[in-house]
Amino acid sequence: MNLQYDVTVIGSGPGGYVAAIRASQLGYKVAIVEKYSNLGGTCTNVGCIPAKALLDSSEHYHQALERFKTHGIDVGSLKLNFQQFIKRKSDVVSQNTSGLDYLMKKNKIDVYHGLGSFVDSEHVQVTGSGQSSILGSKYFIVATGSKPSTIPGVVIDKKRIITSTEGLSLNARPKSMVVIGGGVIGVELASVYARIGTEVTIIEFMDSLIPTMDRELGKALQKSLTKLNIKILLNSRVQSATNLGEDAAVNFIDQGGLAQEIKADYILVAVGRKAYTDGLNLEAVGVETERGKIRVNGQLQTNIPNIYAIGDVIDGPMLAHKAEEEGTLVAEVINGQKPHINYNLIPGVVYTWPEVASVGYTEEQLKKENRTYRIGKFPFAASGRARAAMEPDGFVKVIADTKYGEILGVHIIGPRAADLIAQAVTGMHYEGTDEDMFRMSYAHPTYSEALKEAFLLASGQGAINL
Ligand code: FAD
Ligand code: NAD
């Protein structure tokens, strides 16, 4: 077997497999190396996909419990089959990983399962299940992703003190759970468990949930999650967590400066993730890192010219679609093309209910830069579609530049915000103004009309339905 390739990708997450497919489409002989038996990386196996599967199942359960009666649907006594709840999630993951096996075959990409370690800048050793091979390659794309991080005093034992990975595969419905961190993972997994009846507390260090997003989103999300009976403790700093055998305890300083303790079945740690480079043997080739992340230039090239890096292992938002864009970019750069990513237009989505989605500048960022702007904000409570669906919570907030009305940011909390944000990304990609955006026809009745109304308000013309 000829083990010489044009492009070898290390890591098969959304960054890696997209890079491999694009490189193959461009005519290169491609190999992909994955240390686990399943392709797909964090996103497919223990991230985006399983999290969304459980979010969907738990939302159905919650709707059946809380809303069906009002719709005139009487389901009698409702029961959650937790084993099936987790099994369906695992089935969804399997469907996706099998899909990737098919895509690798279809694109004639050679798959190697094992740990990829650099021998020198032109060779990588793959070691797995007692076998070892050396792959020679002209170019390498490192896409080794990230792992959960923790904070001082909190040791993840994967039993009582767990991360999202264990949180997506529990054996039984927990009675109680404390989530450390009110960021994206924190609010998504808190939603899953609160909807199925677990008593959930979120402890967040900052003064808002999802604190990196526009602050109005965090405030509105707090209201919605409070309605779900999630207890939210802001401005609270966790100091330690202890596995007590049957349960666990977390110690923290509350917003009044007092030391507190809460016990729960599980403490789920969701305080961010760190780039993963263990085992790559980057030292052998002298690839530089900075605060644990691989350092790259604007073309995502490391200091070693034939080695590129993409996704969570480099700087930037740790998002699957960011990794995917970078995978495409690198394959095209290798091919001599001049692709470009506008990082300001990478949307961020939180799959709670209501969903949260955002693109462009937040109001806080614009204030900090002393930029002038105007705001159009339309509540879903005034949308006919939202009323028909009993989804009155949330709003669309459009931020436009004062002079020309160019859209600077769109921030949505509400039903189907995750899908609605694509319209804002499109408009901003073409440097559209609020007027460009409201002059288009939006189907009635749809949630998307809330965007049109917010664009109308931002322009100063005034909304129709408010
Ligand atoms: P990864 O997906 O982490 O893949 C890296 C792969 O490299 C892994 O399979 C790993 O085994 C392999 N690897 C590492 N080292 C080696 C080596 N030396 N040799 C061989 N293989 C190696 N993002 C979103 O955009 N939307 C979401 O809804 C979303 N939900 C998430 C939910 C959770 C619970 C979590 C944890 C994350 C979520 N994310 C989401 C983030 C998303 O999963 C990551 O941003 C994305 O997976 C990064 O892709 P990647 O290709 O850079 O790395
Ligand atoms: P995060 O950075 O989103 O949130 C971590 C939170 O923990 C922050 O709000 C931070 O203030 C808080 N925190 C830090 N130290 C603390 C302490 N001592 N006590 C209490 N709170 C503390 O990180 P995450 O939620 O772990 O997610 C990791 C990555 O995964 C993110 O970058 C995210 O983009 C990605 N992800 C994305 C999605 C999605 O796109 N829907 C879903 C899940 C994860």
Side-chain angles (χ1 to χ4, degrees):
M1 194 173 172
N2 178 5
L3 300 183
Q4 182 63 38
Y5 292 92
D6 298 322
V7 177
T8 297
V9 182
I10 309 176
S12 70
Y17 76 74
V18 169
I21 291 172
R22 187 72 189 116
S24 168
Q25 286 172 341
L26 291 167
Y28 295 108
K29 184 168 159 49
V30 182
I32 191 162
V33 182
E34 170 54 55
K35 69 175 182 164
Y36 290 128
S37 52
N38 283 344
L39 299 179
T42 304
C43 181
T44 311
N45 293 284
V46 290
C48 330
I49 299 297
K52 267 79 263 180
L54 293 187
L55 278 156
D56 275 349
S57 297
S58 59
E59 184 58 19
H60 287 314
Y61 179 76
H62 180 70
Q63 291 274 340
L65 204 63
E66 301 289 331
R67 297 242 180 118
F68 275 19
K69 238 190 174 65
T70 319
H71 283 284
I73 307 165
D74 209 338
V75 287
S77 71
L78 201 67
K79 196 170 156 246
L80 181 82
N81 178 342
F82 191 81
Q83 274 67 37
Q84 172 60 21
F85 177 75
I86 295 291
K87 183 186 172 293
R88 190 196 78 93
K89 179 261 330 179
S90 304
D91 292 346
V92 171
V93 169
S94 300
Q95 286 157 19
N96 280 274
T97 56
S98 310
L100 289 175
D101 293 338
Y102 161 77
L103 288 177
M104 294 303 109
K105 276 201 193 92
K106 181 187 161 209
N107 287 285
K108 300 188 172 52
I109 297 163
D110 289 345
V111 178
Y112 294 86
H113 288 284
L115 183 79
S117 261
F118 280 102
V119 177
D120 57 39
S121 64
E122 277 153 25
H123 296 90
V124 112
Q125 178 163 29
V126 183
T127 315
S129 19
Q131 288 185 336
S132 171
S133 348
I134 303 268
L135 312 184
S137 195
K138 200 164 167 202
Y139 299 101
F140 287 97
I141 303 175
V142 179
T144 49
S146 63
K147 290 277 175 211
S149 55
T150 187
I151 47 176
V154 177
V155 178
I156 292 158
D157 62 17
K158 300 189 181 182
K159 292 186 173 73
R160 293 282 162 201
I161 303 168
I162 61 174
T163 70
S164 50
T165 303
E166 295 73 47
L168 292 166
S169 292
L170 295 178
N171 294 325
R173 169 169 47 181
K175 283 199 188 65
S176 55
M177 178 181 279
V178 170
V179 178
I180 310 179
V184 197
I185 294 183
V187 296
E188 286 188 4
L189 287 187
S191 299
V192 166
Y193 284 100
R195 288 169 189 166
I196 61 168
T198 300
E199 198 182 291
V200 180
T201 306
I202 297 178
I203 306 180
E204 166 57 47
F205 176 67
M206 303 287 283
D207 60 359
S208 166
L209 293 176
I210 47 169
T212 53
M213 296 182 96
D214 193 281
R215 281 306 171 96
E216 286 195 66
L217 297 176
K219 269 193 208 147
L221 182 63
Q222 186 174 348
K223 274 193 201 151
S224 295
L225 295 190
T226 304
K227 280 194 218 163
L228 257 184
N229 292 327
I230 297 177
K231 197 167 166 196
I232 298 162
L233 306 175
L234 300 176
N235 296 305
S236 300
R237 188 160 39 86
V238 169
Q239 302 212 295
S240 64
T242 318
N243 180 338
L244 303 171
E246 293 299 298
D247 57 9
V250 62
N251 291 86
F252 62 101
I253 307 292
D254 72 10
Q255 60 178 345
L258 297 175
Q260 303 281 1
E261 180 178 272
I262 303 181
K263 283 187 185 164
D265 287 358
Y266 294 100
I267 312 290
L268 191 146
V269 184
V271 294
R273 295 175 61 88
K274 53 175 191 274
Y276 184 74
T277 56
D278 292 6
L280 270 176
N281 200 20
L282 292 179
E283 314 75 53
V285 265
V287 169
E288 288 172 6
T289 57
E290 204 170 5
R291 281 173 284 115
K293 296 175 177 179
I294 296 182
R295 210 161 63 78
V296 290
N297 63 18
Q299 308 253 284
L300 308 184
Q301 186 179 36
T302 69
N303 59 310
I304 308 299
N306 68 320
I307 303 179
Y308 293 78
I310 59 173
D312 282 9
V313 79
I314 65 168
D315 210 5
M318 289 184 163
L319 295 173
H321 44 286
K322 177 255 192 191
E324 289 176 5
E325 291 307 317
E326 291 180 339
T328 301
L329 179 134
V330 164
E332 293 178 354
V333 163
I334 288 172
N335 189 240
Q337 301 180 28
K338 304 233 174 310
H340 170 72
I341 296 173
N342 184 346
Y343 283 94
N344 190 41
L345 295 191
I346 292 183
V349 172
V350 188
Y351 295 83
T352 46
W353 198 264
E355 291 176 335
V356 182
S358 192
V359 63
Y361 291 100
T362 64
E363 194 176 349
E364 291 73 31
Q365 284 171 327
L366 293 171
K367 272 195 185 132
K368 218 170 169 181
E369 291 180 13
N370 286 323
R371 305 233 341 230
T372 55
Y373 55 85
R374 49 197 201 215
I375 285 183
K377 195 170 158 193
F378 186 83
F380 280 101
S383 145
R385 180 71 189 89
R387 274 197 295 267
M390 284 170 64
E391 294 292 355
D393 290 351
F395 54 81
V396 175
K397 173 176 172 179
V398 166
I399 312 180
D401 133 83
T402 320
K403 200 165 173 195
Y404 302 109
E406 185 179 346
I407 310 300
L408 301 175
V410 176
H411 309 283
I412 311 174
I413 176 164
R416 302 278 165 230
D419 296 296
L420 292 178
I421 202 69
Q423 181 135 26
V425 176
T426 310
M428 290 172 74
H429 182 81
Y430 291 106
E431 297 177 4
T433 63
D434 40 26
E435 180 163 359
D436 292 330
M437 297 305 287
F438 75 66
R439 292 268 172 217
M440 290 184 266
S441 171
Y442 292 64
H444 177 75
T446 59
Y447 297 125
S448 70
E449 290 168 297
L451 275 162
K452 177 169 177 142
E453 298 274 13
F455 289 126
L456 274 163
L457 285 163
S459 75
Q461 181 169 317
I464 303 293
N465 287 295
L466 196 65

